Short mmCIF file of all heavy atoms in Angstrom, two decimals:
data_model
loop_
_atom_site.label_atom_id
_atom_site.label_comp_id
_atom_site.label_asym_id
_atom_site.label_seq_id
_atom_site.Cartn_x
_atom_site.Cartn_y
_atom_site.Cartn_z
N HIS A 80 107.41 76.03 110.28
CA HIS A 80 108.18 74.78 110.19
C HIS A 80 109.59 75.02 109.64
O HIS A 80 110.54 74.35 110.04
CB HIS A 80 107.43 73.72 109.37
CG HIS A 80 107.14 74.13 107.96
ND1 HIS A 80 106.08 74.96 107.63
CD2 HIS A 80 107.77 73.85 106.81
CE1 HIS A 80 106.08 75.15 106.32
NE2 HIS A 80 107.09 74.50 105.80
N HIS A 81 109.75 76.02 108.75
CA HIS A 81 111.09 76.35 108.23
C HIS A 81 111.97 76.89 109.36
O HIS A 81 113.14 76.50 109.47
CB HIS A 81 111.02 77.39 107.12
CG HIS A 81 110.35 76.91 105.88
ND1 HIS A 81 110.83 75.85 105.13
CD2 HIS A 81 109.24 77.34 105.24
CE1 HIS A 81 110.04 75.65 104.10
NE2 HIS A 81 109.07 76.54 104.14
N LEU A 82 111.42 77.77 110.16
CA LEU A 82 112.20 78.36 111.26
C LEU A 82 112.53 77.31 112.32
O LEU A 82 113.62 77.32 112.89
CB LEU A 82 111.45 79.53 111.87
CG LEU A 82 111.17 80.70 110.93
CD1 LEU A 82 110.43 81.81 111.66
CD2 LEU A 82 112.45 81.24 110.33
N LYS A 83 111.60 76.41 112.57
CA LYS A 83 111.86 75.33 113.53
C LYS A 83 113.01 74.45 113.04
O LYS A 83 113.89 74.08 113.80
CB LYS A 83 110.61 74.49 113.74
CG LYS A 83 109.56 75.16 114.59
CD LYS A 83 108.34 74.27 114.76
CE LYS A 83 107.30 74.93 115.64
NZ LYS A 83 106.10 74.09 115.78
N ARG A 84 112.99 74.12 111.75
CA ARG A 84 114.03 73.29 111.17
C ARG A 84 115.39 73.99 111.26
O ARG A 84 116.38 73.40 111.69
CB ARG A 84 113.70 72.95 109.71
CG ARG A 84 114.69 71.97 109.07
CD ARG A 84 114.54 71.86 107.56
NE ARG A 84 114.95 73.09 106.91
CZ ARG A 84 114.13 73.99 106.38
NH1 ARG A 84 112.84 73.78 106.38
NH2 ARG A 84 114.58 75.09 105.84
N CYS A 85 115.44 75.26 110.87
CA CYS A 85 116.69 76.02 110.90
C CYS A 85 117.23 76.16 112.31
O CYS A 85 118.44 76.01 112.53
CB CYS A 85 116.49 77.41 110.29
SG CYS A 85 116.40 77.41 108.51
N SER A 86 116.36 76.42 113.26
CA SER A 86 116.84 76.58 114.64
C SER A 86 117.36 75.26 115.19
O SER A 86 118.38 75.23 115.88
CB SER A 86 115.75 77.16 115.54
OG SER A 86 114.64 76.31 115.59
N LYS A 87 116.71 74.18 114.83
CA LYS A 87 117.17 72.85 115.29
C LYS A 87 118.53 72.51 114.69
O LYS A 87 119.44 72.06 115.40
CB LYS A 87 116.14 71.79 114.92
CG LYS A 87 116.45 70.42 115.44
CD LYS A 87 115.35 69.43 115.10
CE LYS A 87 115.70 68.06 115.64
NZ LYS A 87 114.65 67.08 115.32
N LEU A 88 118.69 72.74 113.39
CA LEU A 88 119.95 72.42 112.71
C LEU A 88 121.12 73.26 113.21
O LEU A 88 122.27 72.81 113.20
CB LEU A 88 119.80 72.58 111.20
CG LEU A 88 118.92 71.55 110.51
CD1 LEU A 88 118.67 71.94 109.06
CD2 LEU A 88 119.55 70.16 110.59
N SER A 89 120.84 74.49 113.64
CA SER A 89 121.92 75.38 114.09
C SER A 89 122.02 75.42 115.62
O SER A 89 122.78 76.21 116.17
CB SER A 89 121.71 76.78 113.55
OG SER A 89 120.52 77.34 114.07
N SER A 90 121.25 74.58 116.29
CA SER A 90 121.22 74.52 117.76
C SER A 90 120.84 75.86 118.38
O SER A 90 121.31 76.23 119.45
CB SER A 90 122.57 74.06 118.32
OG SER A 90 122.88 72.77 117.83
N ALA A 91 120.00 76.60 117.70
CA ALA A 91 119.53 77.89 118.19
C ALA A 91 118.18 77.72 118.88
O ALA A 91 117.45 76.77 118.59
CB ALA A 91 119.39 78.88 117.04
N SER A 92 117.86 78.64 119.74
CA SER A 92 116.54 78.65 120.37
C SER A 92 115.58 79.38 119.44
O SER A 92 115.93 80.41 118.88
CB SER A 92 116.57 79.41 121.69
OG SER A 92 117.48 78.84 122.57
N LEU A 93 114.38 78.83 119.30
CA LEU A 93 113.34 79.51 118.54
C LEU A 93 112.51 80.32 119.54
O LEU A 93 111.94 79.76 120.47
CB LEU A 93 112.45 78.51 117.80
CG LEU A 93 111.30 79.09 116.99
CD1 LEU A 93 111.83 79.97 115.86
CD2 LEU A 93 110.42 77.99 116.43
N LYS A 94 112.49 81.63 119.37
CA LYS A 94 111.78 82.52 120.28
C LYS A 94 110.70 83.28 119.52
O LYS A 94 110.97 83.84 118.46
CB LYS A 94 112.73 83.54 120.92
CG LYS A 94 113.86 82.95 121.71
CD LYS A 94 113.42 82.55 123.08
CE LYS A 94 114.64 82.10 123.88
NZ LYS A 94 114.30 81.62 125.17
N PHE A 95 109.51 83.30 120.10
CA PHE A 95 108.44 84.12 119.53
C PHE A 95 108.57 85.51 120.16
O PHE A 95 108.40 85.66 121.36
CB PHE A 95 107.07 83.49 119.81
CG PHE A 95 106.88 82.22 119.06
CD1 PHE A 95 107.10 81.00 119.67
CD2 PHE A 95 106.51 82.23 117.73
CE1 PHE A 95 106.94 79.81 118.98
CE2 PHE A 95 106.35 81.06 117.02
CZ PHE A 95 106.56 79.84 117.65
N VAL A 96 108.92 86.48 119.34
CA VAL A 96 109.24 87.82 119.84
C VAL A 96 108.09 88.81 119.69
O VAL A 96 108.11 89.87 120.29
CB VAL A 96 110.52 88.38 119.19
CG1 VAL A 96 111.72 87.52 119.57
CG2 VAL A 96 110.39 88.44 117.68
N THR A 97 107.12 88.49 118.87
CA THR A 97 105.98 89.38 118.68
C THR A 97 104.81 88.56 118.16
O THR A 97 104.99 87.45 117.66
CB THR A 97 106.32 90.54 117.72
OG1 THR A 97 105.24 91.47 117.70
CG2 THR A 97 106.55 90.05 116.30
N LYS A 98 103.64 89.12 118.28
CA LYS A 98 102.48 88.47 117.67
C LYS A 98 102.13 89.22 116.39
O LYS A 98 102.53 90.38 116.21
CB LYS A 98 101.30 88.45 118.63
CG LYS A 98 100.81 89.80 119.07
CD LYS A 98 99.68 89.66 120.06
CE LYS A 98 99.20 91.05 120.46
NZ LYS A 98 98.13 91.01 121.43
N LYS A 99 101.41 88.55 115.53
CA LYS A 99 101.00 89.17 114.28
C LYS A 99 100.07 90.34 114.59
O LYS A 99 99.14 90.21 115.38
CB LYS A 99 100.29 88.14 113.40
CG LYS A 99 100.04 88.60 112.01
CD LYS A 99 99.48 87.48 111.15
CE LYS A 99 99.20 87.99 109.76
NZ LYS A 99 98.62 86.97 108.92
N VAL A 100 100.34 91.48 113.97
CA VAL A 100 99.55 92.68 114.23
C VAL A 100 98.57 92.88 113.08
O VAL A 100 98.98 93.15 111.95
CB VAL A 100 100.47 93.92 114.36
CG1 VAL A 100 99.64 95.17 114.61
CG2 VAL A 100 101.48 93.71 115.47
N GLY A 101 97.30 92.73 113.37
CA GLY A 101 96.28 92.97 112.35
C GLY A 101 96.35 91.99 111.20
O GLY A 101 97.03 90.98 111.24
N ASN A 102 95.63 92.32 110.17
CA ASN A 102 95.58 91.49 108.97
C ASN A 102 95.99 92.34 107.77
O ASN A 102 95.28 92.41 106.78
CB ASN A 102 94.18 90.91 108.80
CG ASN A 102 94.15 89.83 107.74
OD1 ASN A 102 95.16 89.25 107.40
ND2 ASN A 102 92.97 89.58 107.20
N TYR A 103 97.12 93.01 107.89
CA TYR A 103 97.58 93.89 106.83
C TYR A 103 98.26 93.08 105.75
O TYR A 103 99.02 92.16 106.03
CB TYR A 103 98.55 94.95 107.37
CG TYR A 103 97.94 95.75 108.47
CD1 TYR A 103 98.32 95.58 109.79
CD2 TYR A 103 96.94 96.67 108.20
CE1 TYR A 103 97.75 96.31 110.80
CE2 TYR A 103 96.36 97.41 109.21
CZ TYR A 103 96.77 97.22 110.50
OH TYR A 103 96.18 97.95 111.50
N SER A 104 97.99 93.42 104.52
CA SER A 104 98.53 92.65 103.42
C SER A 104 98.62 93.53 102.18
O SER A 104 97.61 94.05 101.70
CB SER A 104 97.62 91.45 103.14
OG SER A 104 97.92 90.87 101.90
N SER A 105 99.82 93.66 101.65
CA SER A 105 99.96 94.41 100.40
C SER A 105 99.29 93.66 99.25
O SER A 105 98.82 94.26 98.30
CB SER A 105 101.44 94.69 100.10
OG SER A 105 102.18 93.50 100.13
N SER A 106 99.20 92.33 99.36
CA SER A 106 98.49 91.55 98.34
C SER A 106 97.02 91.94 98.28
O SER A 106 96.44 92.06 97.20
CB SER A 106 98.61 90.05 98.63
OG SER A 106 99.95 89.64 98.56
N LYS A 107 96.40 92.16 99.45
CA LYS A 107 95.00 92.58 99.47
C LYS A 107 94.84 93.95 98.83
O LYS A 107 93.88 94.20 98.11
CB LYS A 107 94.48 92.62 100.91
CG LYS A 107 94.19 91.28 101.50
CD LYS A 107 93.63 91.44 102.89
CE LYS A 107 93.35 90.12 103.53
NZ LYS A 107 92.82 90.27 104.89
N ILE A 108 95.76 94.84 99.11
CA ILE A 108 95.70 96.18 98.52
C ILE A 108 95.78 96.08 97.00
O ILE A 108 95.00 96.70 96.29
CB ILE A 108 96.82 97.08 99.06
CG1 ILE A 108 96.61 97.36 100.55
CG2 ILE A 108 96.90 98.39 98.28
CD1 ILE A 108 97.78 98.05 101.23
N LEU A 109 96.71 95.27 96.51
CA LEU A 109 96.88 95.14 95.07
C LEU A 109 95.67 94.49 94.41
O LEU A 109 95.24 94.90 93.33
CB LEU A 109 98.14 94.32 94.75
CG LEU A 109 99.45 95.02 95.10
CD1 LEU A 109 100.61 94.06 94.91
CD2 LEU A 109 99.64 96.26 94.25
N ARG A 110 95.08 93.47 95.07
CA ARG A 110 93.89 92.84 94.51
C ARG A 110 92.75 93.83 94.43
O ARG A 110 92.04 93.92 93.43
CB ARG A 110 93.47 91.63 95.35
CG ARG A 110 94.22 90.37 95.02
CD ARG A 110 93.55 89.16 95.63
NE ARG A 110 93.42 89.23 97.08
CZ ARG A 110 94.34 88.83 97.94
NH1 ARG A 110 95.48 88.35 97.50
NH2 ARG A 110 94.13 88.92 99.23
N CYS A 111 92.57 94.59 95.49
CA CYS A 111 91.50 95.58 95.54
C CYS A 111 91.69 96.62 94.44
O CYS A 111 90.75 96.99 93.76
CB CYS A 111 91.47 96.25 96.91
SG CYS A 111 90.22 97.51 97.05
N ARG A 112 92.92 97.04 94.28
CA ARG A 112 93.24 98.08 93.29
C ARG A 112 92.99 97.59 91.86
O ARG A 112 92.49 98.32 91.02
CB ARG A 112 94.69 98.48 93.48
CG ARG A 112 95.06 99.72 92.78
CD ARG A 112 96.44 100.09 93.23
NE ARG A 112 96.89 101.20 92.41
CZ ARG A 112 98.10 101.65 92.38
NH1 ARG A 112 99.00 101.10 93.12
NH2 ARG A 112 98.42 102.65 91.62
N SER A 113 93.33 96.33 91.59
CA SER A 113 93.18 95.82 90.23
C SER A 113 91.73 95.50 89.88
O SER A 113 91.36 95.51 88.72
CB SER A 113 94.05 94.59 90.03
OG SER A 113 93.58 93.52 90.82
N LYS A 114 90.89 95.22 90.88
CA LYS A 114 89.49 94.88 90.62
C LYS A 114 88.67 96.07 90.17
O LYS A 114 87.71 95.94 89.46
CB LYS A 114 88.85 94.28 91.87
CG LYS A 114 89.24 92.84 92.12
CD LYS A 114 88.53 92.34 93.35
CE LYS A 114 88.97 90.92 93.66
NZ LYS A 114 88.34 90.44 94.89
N SER A 115 89.04 97.23 90.62
CA SER A 115 88.22 98.39 90.34
C SER A 115 88.98 99.43 89.54
O SER A 115 90.00 99.93 89.98
CB SER A 115 87.74 99.01 91.65
OG SER A 115 87.02 100.17 91.37
N LYS A 116 88.48 99.75 88.40
CA LYS A 116 89.11 100.79 87.56
C LYS A 116 88.67 102.17 88.02
O LYS A 116 89.36 103.15 87.82
CB LYS A 116 88.73 100.60 86.09
CG LYS A 116 89.14 99.27 85.51
CD LYS A 116 90.62 99.22 85.28
CE LYS A 116 90.97 97.92 84.60
NZ LYS A 116 92.29 97.49 84.80
N THR A 117 87.49 102.25 88.60
CA THR A 117 86.98 103.54 89.05
C THR A 117 87.31 103.75 90.51
O THR A 117 87.38 102.81 91.28
CB THR A 117 85.45 103.63 88.85
OG1 THR A 117 84.85 102.63 89.64
CG2 THR A 117 85.07 103.49 87.40
N ARG A 118 87.48 104.98 90.89
CA ARG A 118 87.81 105.32 92.27
C ARG A 118 86.64 106.08 92.91
O ARG A 118 86.77 107.20 93.36
CB ARG A 118 89.08 106.18 92.32
CG ARG A 118 90.26 105.59 91.64
CD ARG A 118 90.69 104.32 92.37
NE ARG A 118 91.94 103.83 91.84
CZ ARG A 118 92.12 102.61 91.39
NH1 ARG A 118 91.14 101.76 91.38
NH2 ARG A 118 93.29 102.24 90.96
N ASP A 119 85.48 105.44 92.92
CA ASP A 119 84.30 106.11 93.45
C ASP A 119 84.17 105.90 94.96
O ASP A 119 84.92 105.17 95.59
CB ASP A 119 83.04 105.65 92.72
CG ASP A 119 82.82 104.15 92.84
OD1 ASP A 119 83.52 103.51 93.64
OD2 ASP A 119 81.95 103.63 92.12
N ALA A 120 83.16 106.51 95.54
CA ALA A 120 82.97 106.47 96.99
C ALA A 120 82.68 105.07 97.51
O ALA A 120 83.12 104.70 98.58
CB ALA A 120 81.85 107.43 97.39
N SER A 121 81.94 104.27 96.74
CA SER A 121 81.63 102.91 97.21
C SER A 121 82.91 102.07 97.28
O SER A 121 83.07 101.27 98.19
CB SER A 121 80.60 102.24 96.31
OG SER A 121 81.11 102.06 95.01
N ASN A 122 83.80 102.26 96.33
CA ASN A 122 85.08 101.55 96.37
C ASN A 122 85.89 101.98 97.58
O ASN A 122 86.48 101.16 98.28
CB ASN A 122 85.87 101.81 95.08
CG ASN A 122 87.13 100.99 95.00
OD1 ASN A 122 87.16 99.86 95.46
ND2 ASN A 122 88.15 101.56 94.42
N LEU A 123 85.88 103.25 97.87
CA LEU A 123 86.61 103.77 99.02
C LEU A 123 86.07 103.17 100.32
O LEU A 123 86.83 102.74 101.17
CB LEU A 123 86.48 105.30 99.05
CG LEU A 123 87.30 106.03 100.10
CD1 LEU A 123 88.78 105.78 99.90
CD2 LEU A 123 87.02 107.52 100.00
N ARG A 124 84.73 103.08 100.45
CA ARG A 124 84.14 102.48 101.65
C ARG A 124 84.51 101.01 101.76
O ARG A 124 84.81 100.51 102.82
CB ARG A 124 82.62 102.65 101.63
CG ARG A 124 82.15 104.04 102.01
CD ARG A 124 80.65 104.07 102.25
NE ARG A 124 79.87 103.71 101.07
CZ ARG A 124 79.52 104.54 100.10
NH1 ARG A 124 79.89 105.81 100.16
NH2 ARG A 124 78.83 104.13 99.07
N ARG A 125 84.50 100.29 100.64
CA ARG A 125 84.82 98.86 100.64
C ARG A 125 86.27 98.65 101.08
O ARG A 125 86.57 97.79 101.89
CB ARG A 125 84.60 98.28 99.24
CG ARG A 125 84.85 96.78 99.16
CD ARG A 125 84.44 96.22 97.81
NE ARG A 125 85.04 96.90 96.69
CZ ARG A 125 86.26 96.65 96.23
NH1 ARG A 125 87.02 95.77 96.80
NH2 ARG A 125 86.73 97.31 95.17
N VAL A 126 87.18 99.45 100.56
CA VAL A 126 88.59 99.33 100.94
C VAL A 126 88.76 99.65 102.41
O VAL A 126 89.44 98.95 103.14
CB VAL A 126 89.47 100.26 100.07
CG1 VAL A 126 90.90 100.27 100.58
CG2 VAL A 126 89.43 99.81 98.63
N ARG A 127 88.10 100.70 102.87
CA ARG A 127 88.21 101.10 104.27
C ARG A 127 87.73 99.98 105.18
O ARG A 127 88.33 99.69 106.20
CB ARG A 127 87.42 102.37 104.50
CG ARG A 127 87.65 102.96 105.86
CD ARG A 127 86.96 104.29 105.99
NE ARG A 127 87.83 105.20 106.70
CZ ARG A 127 87.72 106.48 106.71
NH1 ARG A 127 86.77 107.05 105.99
NH2 ARG A 127 88.54 107.22 107.39
N LYS A 128 86.65 99.33 104.80
CA LYS A 128 86.10 98.23 105.60
C LYS A 128 87.05 97.03 105.57
O LYS A 128 87.24 96.35 106.57
CB LYS A 128 84.73 97.83 105.06
CG LYS A 128 84.03 96.82 105.91
CD LYS A 128 82.64 96.53 105.36
CE LYS A 128 81.95 95.51 106.21
NZ LYS A 128 80.65 95.14 105.66
N THR A 129 87.66 96.76 104.42
CA THR A 129 88.56 95.63 104.27
C THR A 129 89.78 95.75 105.18
O THR A 129 90.24 94.78 105.75
CB THR A 129 89.05 95.51 102.81
OG1 THR A 129 87.92 95.39 101.97
CG2 THR A 129 89.94 94.30 102.62
N PHE A 130 90.30 96.94 105.33
CA PHE A 130 91.52 97.16 106.10
C PHE A 130 91.20 97.75 107.45
O PHE A 130 91.53 98.89 107.72
CB PHE A 130 92.47 98.08 105.34
CG PHE A 130 92.91 97.50 104.06
CD1 PHE A 130 92.32 97.90 102.88
CD2 PHE A 130 93.87 96.52 104.02
CE1 PHE A 130 92.70 97.35 101.68
CE2 PHE A 130 94.25 95.96 102.83
CZ PHE A 130 93.68 96.37 101.66
N CYS A 131 90.56 96.98 108.32
CA CYS A 131 90.24 97.47 109.66
C CYS A 131 91.52 98.02 110.27
O CYS A 131 92.42 97.27 110.60
CB CYS A 131 89.69 96.34 110.52
SG CYS A 131 88.22 95.62 109.81
N LEU A 132 91.60 99.32 110.41
CA LEU A 132 92.87 99.94 110.76
C LEU A 132 92.99 100.33 112.23
O LEU A 132 93.77 101.18 112.58
CB LEU A 132 93.09 101.17 109.87
CG LEU A 132 93.27 100.85 108.41
CD1 LEU A 132 93.31 102.12 107.59
CD2 LEU A 132 94.53 100.06 108.18
N GLY A 133 92.23 99.70 113.10
CA GLY A 133 92.44 99.93 114.52
C GLY A 133 91.68 101.13 115.05
O GLY A 133 90.64 101.51 114.54
N SER A 134 92.22 101.74 116.09
CA SER A 134 91.55 102.84 116.77
C SER A 134 91.42 104.05 115.87
O SER A 134 92.20 104.24 114.94
CB SER A 134 92.34 103.21 118.03
OG SER A 134 93.53 103.85 117.66
N LYS A 135 90.45 104.92 116.20
CA LYS A 135 90.21 106.11 115.37
C LYS A 135 91.44 107.00 115.32
O LYS A 135 91.78 107.53 114.28
CB LYS A 135 89.02 106.89 115.92
CG LYS A 135 87.70 106.26 115.61
CD LYS A 135 86.57 107.14 116.09
CE LYS A 135 85.24 106.51 115.74
NZ LYS A 135 84.13 107.33 116.19
#
Side-chain angles (χ1 to χ4, degrees):
H80 60 280
H81 293 299
L82 298 180
K83 286 180 179 178
R84 185 192 69 254
C85 284
S86 61
K87 185 177 180 181
L88 290 171
S89 64
S90 300
S92 301
L93 179 64
K94 301 279 186 184
F95 292 98
V96 296
T97 187
K98 61 183 181 181
K99 191 174 178 182
V100 179
N102 191 21
Y103 303 107
S104 166
S105 53
S106 297
K107 284 182 181 179
I108 293 170
L109 292 173
R110 277 194 302 273
C111 179
R112 193 171 172 191
S113 67
K114 283 181 184 177
S115 176
K116 300 287 184 204
T117 61
R118 305 295 188 234
D119 59 11
S121 64
N122 186 35
L123 186 60
R124 283 192 299 275
R125 183 173 53 83
V126 173
R127 189 174 220 162
K128 186 176 180 184
T129 303
F130 298 100
C131 301
L132 295 173
S134 71
K135 285 184 178 180

